[in-house]
Amino acid sequence: MLKQSNLRMTRQRMVILEELRKVNTHPSADEIYEMVRKRLPRVSLGTIYRNLEILSGSGEIQKLDSGSSLKRFDGRADCHHHIRCERCDRLDPGVDLNTCVRDFTDFSVIGHKLEFVGVCPDCRRSSEAGLPAANNHPED
Amino acid sequence: MLKQSNLRMTRQRMVILEELRKVNTHPSADEIYEMVRKRLPRVSLGTIYRNLEILSGSGEIQKLDSGSSLKRFDGRADCHHHIRCERCDRLDPGVDLNTCVRDFTDFSVIGHKLEFVGVCPDCRRSSEAGLPAANNHPED
DNA sequence: TTTGCTGCAAATCCTTTGCAGAGGT
DNA sequence: ACCTCTGCAAAGGATTTGCAGCAAA
């Protein structure tokens, strides 16, 4: 899976992936650092960040935008959903849409955020021409 | 609207709101700072941040979690949706679900993120008892 | 042997905060 | 007048990056 892009499966990368898949919560980079440190005491935070970026880029894990400015990570890469408490920010990590349409969670549902993900026309064009992504349109 | 909570409509707060409603993009705090600065040259970034927090807290604007760690703000407070380019992070700010079910946008749709917002049982209990939100459950 | 990866530490970026004075209401 | 808000500047927290050596393939 990593091979396609000249990526190596290092001990650190492997342990990060294993630890992340061991839990069903959504740890932050720093929490993952603590988890990994128990097995690889000399690992550095920089390595954690670099690998989380790589692993989510290659689709092995998911990067979540939590409400706060702190990013959280999900060892599951398959499509699933969450519900977040708007007061304490706690996530219920395993909302299965098929089931929850029938059975309500123990949260009171107030509303939802829905965001489509796609490719914009500019990027589609540069992609066809073999170029990197278009400018970042910082005004959005 | 602000009166309910002892909030004052200061010149700075007013200009921030006006500038944010003038554009249909989703500027970051820093970009809003530049916009406001043209009219109030002595305004400070801290004031921008404080007011964006207050205005989104009182429901006048929306705080968005963009893919990156940088927060963006939306002058519209009504319920509407976005589509983000996964490569350049650009947002199409005005997806009207009712329309887009029929007419596709000019983005190629790859998938979507759906997040429910609600209140968890712990917070519901403390709320009934008149207490603040439950602990932050930092493990999520 | 190549070149991607690591630990370390410094740097950077975004955001928050303490304070004394200004300004809404 | 009261009390929230402001500008300023410093602090804070999360994330990124430069570098020289290390280790997958």
Side-chain angles (χ1 to χ4, degrees):
Chain A
M1 225 181 197
L2 293 175
K3 290 185 177 175
Q4 314 155 353
S5 12
N6 294 339
L7 295 174
R8 293 174 185 172
M9 182 47 81
T10 60
R11 183 141 189 64
Q12 290 87 340
R13 187 162 297 162
M14 176 65 84
V15 173
I16 289 170
L17 198 48
E18 284 174 2
E19 290 300 313
L20 199 41
R21 293 202 165 141
K22 202 179 280 181
V23 299
N24 71 342
T25 57
H26 301 83
S28 62
D30 201 66
E31 287 160 354
I32 294 166
Y33 175 50
E34 292 305 331
M35 291 154 67
V36 171
R37 205 134 76 118
K38 286 176 185 148
R39 293 174 56 187
L40 304 174
R42 301 186 52 73
V43 79
S44 76
L45 235 198
T47 296
I48 302 291
Y49 275 105
R50 275 181 291 228
N51 277 302
L52 290 173
E53 202 53 44
I54 287 170
L55 288 169
S56 66
S58 73
E60 314 251 13
I61 65 174
Q62 275 188 77
K63 199 194 306 181
L64 307 176
D65 308 321
S66 79
S68 67
S69 61
L70 184 139
K71 279 174 208 149
R72 295 187 170 281
F73 297 85
D74 191 330
R76 291 173 60 183
D78 61 312
C79 180
H80 63 289
H81 301 287
H82 304 124
I83 180 164
R84 182 197 321 283
C85 175
E86 68 166 3
R87 297 185 203 163
C88 73
D89 210 43
R90 173 183 173 190
L91 276 185
D92 179 333
V95 175
D96 167 5
L97 259 191
N98 295 333
T99 305
C100 88
V101 170
R102 298 196 305 273
D103 313 308
F104 288 100
T105 73
D106 55 359
F107 282 68
S108 314
V109 176
I110 289 177
H112 63 264
K113 287 191 289 187
L114 175 61
E115 182 173 89
F116 295 92
V117 179
V119 179
C120 76
D122 290 352
C123 284
R124 203 159 50 222
R125 266 191 293 280
S126 15
S127 165
E128 284 160 5
L131 298 169
N135 286 338
N136 245 41
H137 302 274
E139 71 279 8
D140 281 344
Chain B
M1 226 181 196
L2 293 174
K3 290 187 178 176
Q4 315 155 351
S5 10
N6 293 340
L7 295 175
R8 295 172 182 170
M9 182 47 81
T10 59
R11 183 140 190 65
Q12 291 85 340
R13 190 163 296 163
M14 176 64 83
V15 172
I16 289 170
L17 198 48
E18 285 174 1
E19 291 299 313
L20 200 41
R21 292 202 166 143
K22 201 178 281 181
V23 298
N24 71 343
T25 56
H26 301 83
S28 63
D30 201 66
E31 287 160 354
I32 294 166
Y33 176 49
E34 293 303 332
M35 292 154 66
V36 171
R37 204 132 77 117
K38 287 177 185 149
R39 292 174 56 187
L40 304 174
R42 299 186 54 72
V43 78
S44 77
L45 235 198
T47 295
I48 303 291
Y49 274 106
R50 275 181 292 230
N51 276 303
L52 289 172
E53 202 53 44
I54 287 170
L55 288 169
S56 68
S58 73
E60 313 250 15
I61 65 172
Q62 275 188 75
K63 200 195 306 183
L64 307 176
D65 309 321
S66 80
S68 67
S69 62
L70 184 139
K71 279 173 208 149
R72 295 188 170 279
F73 296 85
D74 191 330
R76 291 173 61 183
D78 62 312
C79 179
H80 63 288
H81 301 288
H82 304 126
I83 179 164
R84 183 198 319 285
C85 175
E86 69 166 3
R87 298 185 201 162
C88 72
D89 210 44
R90 172 183 174 188
L91 277 186
D92 179 330
V95 175
D96 167 4
L97 259 190
N98 296 331
T99 305
C100 89
V101 170
R102 299 196 304 274
D103 312 309
F104 289 100
T105 74
D106 55 1
F107 282 67
S108 314
V109 176
I110 290 176
H112 64 264
K113 288 191 288 188
L114 177 61
E115 182 172 271
F116 296 92
V117 179
V119 179
C120 75
D122 290 351
C123 284
R124 201 158 52 222
R125 266 191 293 279
S126 14
S127 164
E128 283 159 6
L131 298 170
N135 285 338
N136 245 40
H137 303 274
E139 72 279 4
D140 279 346

